[in-house]
Amino acid sequence: EHILLDGTTVLVVSRLVPGQLHALRLDTLGVFVEEFGIPLLPIVSEFWVLADDERAPEIFMQVPVHQGEASTNGNITLFFSEALQADMSGIINISDGTKEELIPLSANSQTKGQGYVILRGSMVIINPSLDF
């Protein structure tokens, strides 16, 4: 366990236990000083660490429906049971068995001719550039 200082950022590296209350206490006046040398007042900050989510998100609905018909230039929209976070180094693979498109999750939606993915809470919109 240690503290990293970088300009205006203080990073406390510690072993936090899920499901327990933790506290950051700076009980002494002047543990930190601002840029003009004025000491910061004592600080107490308490927070809970949530337990890891052990249940994988489930797809509630997809549009177009699985094995359904869709327009060749349409989007694919997935609705999940909970909000998602994206690993920006990830890639989505879309294929019709003949053609294949790999869409990086980091792809910019403003780039012409490139597919992209939009993540909004529990909804994922996939816009392939190829017409399948």
Side-chain angles (χ1 to χ4, degrees), residues 45-124:
S45 175
E46 293 183 339
F47 55 94
W48 286 93
V49 175
L50 299 176
D52 290 337
D53 185 357
E54 295 179 9
R55 184 175 173 183
E58 298 175 28
I59 296 177
F60 276 161
M61 182 172 66
Q62 67 183 50
V63 178
V65 296
H66 182 62
Q67 297 185 354
E69 297 200 13
S71 64
T72 57
N73 61 352
N75 293 343
I76 300 166
T77 305
L78 306 171
F79 297 90
F80 287 86
S81 58
E82 61 184 87
L84 303 175
Q85 295 179 3
D87 174 356
M88 297 312 284
S89 65
I91 295 174
I92 291 182
N93 181 336
I94 298 180
S95 173
D96 66 357
T98 334
K99 295 184 288 186
E100 176 180 62
E101 180 175 2
L102 302 176
I103 305 173
L105 293 180
S106 60
N108 185 336
S109 64
Q110 304 302 315
T111 305
K112 279 199 166 288
Q114 178 177 331
Y116 59 89
V117 177
I118 297 173
L119 175 62
R120 289 200 180 112
S122 61
M123 180 177 66
V124 177

Side-chain angles (χ1 to χ4, degrees), residues 33-39:
V33 295
E34 55 103 75
E35 65 180 312
F36 300 109
I38 299 172

